[in-house]
Amino acid sequence: MSEIKSTMEKVMERLAAMDAKDKGAGAAGGSLAEEELVREGMRRAAAYLKGEQVALVTELEAAPAEKQAALRRGMFKTLARNIVLPRDEEQLGPAERAMTGMLDLAGGSGELTSFLGELKKVLEQYLSHQQQLRQQLSEQFAQEMARLEGQVAGQTGMQPTMRPEQHPKFQEEWLRVQDELNSQYGRALEQYKKQIQQFLGA
């Protein structure tokens, strides 16, 4: 876990510095009409994620100026909800689509492009670390499973094939490792989302 900790420490230090620089941005409460505009922005972003709309910025700029802030806020909410710690590589696709939508909202900003590139690397790194840690855990339990196979063979005369995941303690240990991993990367992910939200003025 030391490699993960050192990587995450660097990420969190950078985000903390950016957060300190951007302190002071607050969220304003809104009227029912404003809340409806936020929901409309969320619907439009959902349609974008499904491939039904080409460009969010076009949708935004077509709205009256006084409605754009609430619409933008709603669009960001939906896009942000689709950027999650991936269980597998397939989940990276929706996250990448959501990041493309955020970049669209920012008008293709070079600064945000770089920032979202970092975020994508964090998600890919999380997936890689998750796979590495599960493999390491499997290797740790493989020796114990070989011992159990020998015991069963001696008692029954049959040679079973037992996977490390079948050990009673495997899932318990894997959940502990995964919780630690999710906690570290989850904090970084939320910080990234917060910084993007401030960048977009959403």
Side-chain angles (χ1 to χ4, degrees):
M1 295 291 285
S2 59
E3 179 193 348
I4 295 170
K5 286 180 179 174
S6 63
T7 303
M8 290 310 298
E9 280 166 6
K10 290 176 187 174
V11 169
M12 295 303 286
E13 282 171 11
R14 171 157 188 216
L15 289 169
M18 293 175 68
D19 190 38
K21 187 174 71 174
D22 292 331
K23 280 286 185 192
S31 64
L32 288 174
E34 186 177 0
E35 288 304 310
E36 180 52 41
L37 284 170
V38 170
R39 285 193 291 272
E40 178 59 25
M42 293 172 73
R43 285 192 289 270
R44 293 186 187 190
Y48 167 84
L49 290 170
K50 292 176 185 174
E52 296 171 10
Q53 289 170 273
V54 179
L56 289 177
V57 71
T58 303
E59 293 279 319
L60 194 62
E61 290 174 351
E66 67 273 12
K67 295 183 178 181
Q68 289 183 12
L71 284 170
R72 183 189 299 272
R73 193 156 62 251
M75 289 175 176
F76 172 80
K77 278 187 176 184
T78 293
L79 295 173
R81 285 177 186 169
N82 280 270
I83 301 175
V84 297
L85 296 176
R87 290 189 303 272
D88 50 46
E89 289 189 8
E90 285 185 10
Q91 277 199 316
L92 286 173
E96 288 176 8
R97 175 73 172 162
M99 284 187 263
T100 301
M102 289 176 173
L103 189 58
D104 182 25
L105 279 180
S109 161
E111 184 181 348
L112 187 59
T113 299
S114 174
F115 194 64
L116 289 172
E118 288 181 24
L119 175 53
K120 182 183 175 186
K121 285 179 183 176
V122 167
L123 297 180
E124 290 171 342
Q125 187 179 8
Y126 166 82
L127 191 57
S128 174
H129 279 156
Q130 182 176 237
Q131 292 166 346
Q132 288 171 13
L133 289 169
R134 190 172 179 90
Q135 178 62 31
Q136 288 171 11
L137 195 62
S138 292
E139 289 170 1
Q140 288 174 20
F141 276 88
Q143 188 174 357
E144 175 65 13
M145 294 310 288
R147 188 183 66 77
L148 289 175
E149 285 176 3
Q151 283 183 353
V152 172
Q155 292 169 359
T156 66
M158 299 172 64
Q159 184 64 48
T161 301
M162 303 171 75
R163 301 191 316 275
E165 291 83 356
Q166 292 175 300
H167 193 284
K169 292 283 186 183
F170 180 91
Q171 288 303 327
E172 179 184 329
E173 185 63 15
W174 172 238
L175 286 174
R176 185 192 66 75
V177 170
Q178 203 170 32
D179 282 347
E180 183 177 345
L181 193 68
N182 289 347
S183 175
Q184 292 174 1
Y185 277 87
R187 287 196 304 273
L189 179 58
E190 289 310 308
Q191 286 292 325
Y192 269 98
K193 288 181 182 181
K194 182 179 176 183
Q195 294 297 327
I196 295 167
Q197 183 177 17
Q198 291 178 1
F199 184 93
L200 293 174

